[in-house]
Amino acid sequence: MEIRQLRYFLDIAQTEHLTQSAQNLFVTQSTLSHGLRQLEQELDIQLFDRLGRGLRLSQAGRPFACTPPARCRRSRPGAWRWPT
């Protein structure tokens, strides 16, 4: 896992669009897509649900997108929970 892949993941989680995230990160859409696939393969989980032209965090991807305190809250020490 590389910092670059995490930056890609977090931006995609925020925008929910590869094109917008590619523009934000100054990379091509194919570079971004490839980096995301590598991360998903390394973690062996699908981080996003593909919805036509958009993406939405999958249930498995939500814990990785939590950036406290704005999007998550602690349910116990050391664990972050997606808001319901």
Side-chain angles (χ1 to χ4, degrees):
M1 183 180 314
E2 299 177 16
I3 297 292
R4 169 184 54 87
Q5 292 169 318
L6 294 175
R7 283 198 332 251
Y8 290 177
F9 168 74
L10 291 172
D11 199 86
I12 296 167
Q14 182 177 351
T15 65
E16 297 185 338
H17 292 279
L18 284 177
T19 303
Q20 181 63 48
S21 289
Q23 291 173 351
N24 293 347
L25 297 165
F26 303 102
V27 297
T28 65
Q29 187 173 344
S30 62
T31 298
L32 187 62
S33 181
H34 181 72
L36 178 59
R37 283 191 215 283
Q38 285 180 321
L39 182 60
E40 288 180 321
Q41 287 174 351
E42 187 174 335
L43 297 173
D44 196 30
I45 59 172
Q46 184 177 329
L47 297 169
F48 292 94
D49 295 321
R50 274 72 174 170
L51 308 169
R53 293 183 169 235
L55 299 169
R56 183 178 49 211
L57 278 170
S58 67
Q59 194 68 19
R62 286 181 178 177
F64 292 98
C66 291
T67 52
R71 299 184 68 177
C72 303
R73 63 176 182 209
R74 284 184 179 236
S75 58
R76 63 183 190 280
W80 293 97
R81 196 173 81 179
W82 193 258
T84 54

